[in-house]
Amino acid sequence: MAQWTSAMGAAQLARLLNSQQDRPAGPGTRRPPAYRALADGIRLLVLEGRVPVAARLPAERELALSLSVSRTTVAAAYEALRAEGFLESRRGAGSWTAVPAGNPLPARGLEPLPPEALGSMIDLGCAALPAPEPWLTRAVQGALEELPPYAHTHGDYPAGLPALRAMIAERYTSRGIPTMPEQIMVTTGAMGAIDAICHLFAGRGERIAVESPSYANILQLMREAGARLVPVAMAEGLTGWDMDRWRQVLRDAAPRIAYVVADFHNPTGALADEDQRRRLVEAARSAGTVLVADETMSELWLDTDIEGAMPRPVCAFDPAGSTVVTVGSASKAFWAGMRIGWVRAAPDVIRSLVAARAYADLGTPVLEQLAVNWLFSTGGWAQAVDIRRSQARDNRDALVAAVRRELPDWEFEVPMGGLTLWVRTGGLSGSRLAEMGERVGVRVPSGPRFGVDGAFEGYVRLPFTVGGAVAEEAAARLAAAARLVESGGAGGGEAPRTFVA
């Protein structure tokens, strides 16, 4: 019986391998043999999760043709991978990817680092900050006081607690977008919201247009749902959305869904202006595409000159919700451990989402809904978000200064808000930086996680989750990782120091 559970075509694997671009070798630098470079490339794809474990690789002859190399080169690369534990083979069954004994399975998204590893590893993989105390504790205490009446019920509220739905609707209305509670469904985080939307609107094989780059975990969620992702390139820097390109893609590809993060885009930090938002809604409406607007970062403006000057929400240009489905969340603006999200859409869409929920998670935890409702109703939310902005602003400024000092060849623009910095790595491979970073004690996600089919190899994403001396140490470790990449990974690297913030 075959041990592989999926298959990787030769053309697909060749595209992923060809996307791995390193800085040109300097004088005196020896390039590895072709078979070794090929084996290293496949190993990196497995370690990053871009080629799944237990995926059947193409036959040697097929891959050789796709890469325009000799079959001997592919055979030698496969043999090297088998010797290292990254490939298993059996006559008649082919060869499939594996990980050596004792190695953790590669993450396919951006899962948080286990707390026990935080003493020696600086985690730049997860764009989330600690809870803004004392507001988390106060919110939970307030929720406990409100809990007794709900404890006498079955506890399942597929659309969300009526009080919280009404409060969220009122928050939209106060922003100039009249909203009824019937237009709101409370979900288990933004991921739960987008998962429900994808299952409702886009069956397997349906096209979904996505920004390129875009949020890695959402891209993976859509892949797992069987969607065909249609990337729409972002403009350079913080200018964001190329509306002519969006209009063309929506017209020609006719995607069922388009997913955008218009407010401090993850990962670039770009902020769409009102004209871009209006034109995007018009293009989606003309194409018959459902526009999913992720506004989980919308309250995380960091520069004072944008306070009071934020563009209107995307749904302001479609107040009835016939084209725009909005997703919000407490996870980024408040705390990732508060798994409360919501959907704003037309009432009939909400009814369909609620009906489908009976076959998913039934509802969102009551106590957490009460906690968020307490924050909204008491003014605690605004004060907690002020703390979050202050933390993120200080961290951003410290990280920017440290990276500019330690890695002057790296290029980026400083966003006015959000939680992430999108960095061009001076020609170095983001995948190899991620691998070498693990050696020297810094965990960083590479650019290809945020693209489709291997794009953005020359980038990494740096979140505003560390500041002060920790930001300086993180930049120093990134510089050490960069030196290892430039030297071809020779040596064991610097041992990570235990660092206590």
Side-chain angles (χ1 to χ4, degrees), residues 170-189:
E170 174 55 33
R171 283 170 58 82
Y172 280 106
T173 300
S174 68
R175 295 162 71 187
I177 309 154
T179 303
M180 304 178 294
E182 292 79 8
Q183 290 179 262
I184 302 295
M185 181 177 83
V186 181
T187 62
T188 308

Side-chain angles (χ1 to χ4, degrees), residues 279-362:
R279 293 173 64 190
L280 189 56
V281 172
E282 290 172 353
R285 184 181 293 119
S286 296
T289 297
V290 175
L291 181 62
V292 180
D294 182 337
E295 61 173 25
T296 53
M297 297 279 193
S298 64
E299 296 188 64
L300 290 177
W301 49 263
L302 305 181
D303 290 350
T304 55
D305 58 357
I306 198 173
E307 182 180 2
M310 283 288 292
R312 286 178 292 169
V314 175
C315 60
F317 303 97
D318 179 51
S322 59
T323 297
V324 178
V325 176
T326 302
V327 172
S329 171
S331 296
K332 295 298 185 184
F334 185 74
W335 184 48
M338 188 68 76
R339 305 305 304 162
I340 297 295
W342 53 86
V343 177
R344 181 199 181 276
D348 62 316
V349 172
I350 295 297
R351 286 193 294 270
S352 297
L353 288 169
V354 171
R357 198 170 193 179
Y359 308 101
D361 63 357
L362 292 177

Side-chain angles (χ1 to χ4, degrees), residues 122-189:
I122 297 176
D123 185 11
L124 297 181
C126 184
L129 288 161
E133 289 286 30
W135 293 105
L136 174 61
T137 298
R138 291 181 183 178
V140 173
Q141 290 170 342
L144 288 171
E145 293 176 2
E146 299 291 332
L147 182 62
Y150 296 94
H152 294 293
T153 72
H154 49 63
D156 285 335
Y157 295 87
L161 294 184
L164 181 56
R165 296 176 71 197
M167 182 61 67
I168 294 171
E170 174 55 33
R171 283 170 58 82
Y172 280 106
T173 300
S174 68
R175 295 162 71 187
I177 309 154
T179 303
M180 304 178 294
E182 292 79 8
Q183 290 179 262
I184 302 295
M185 181 177 83
V186 181
T187 62
T188 308

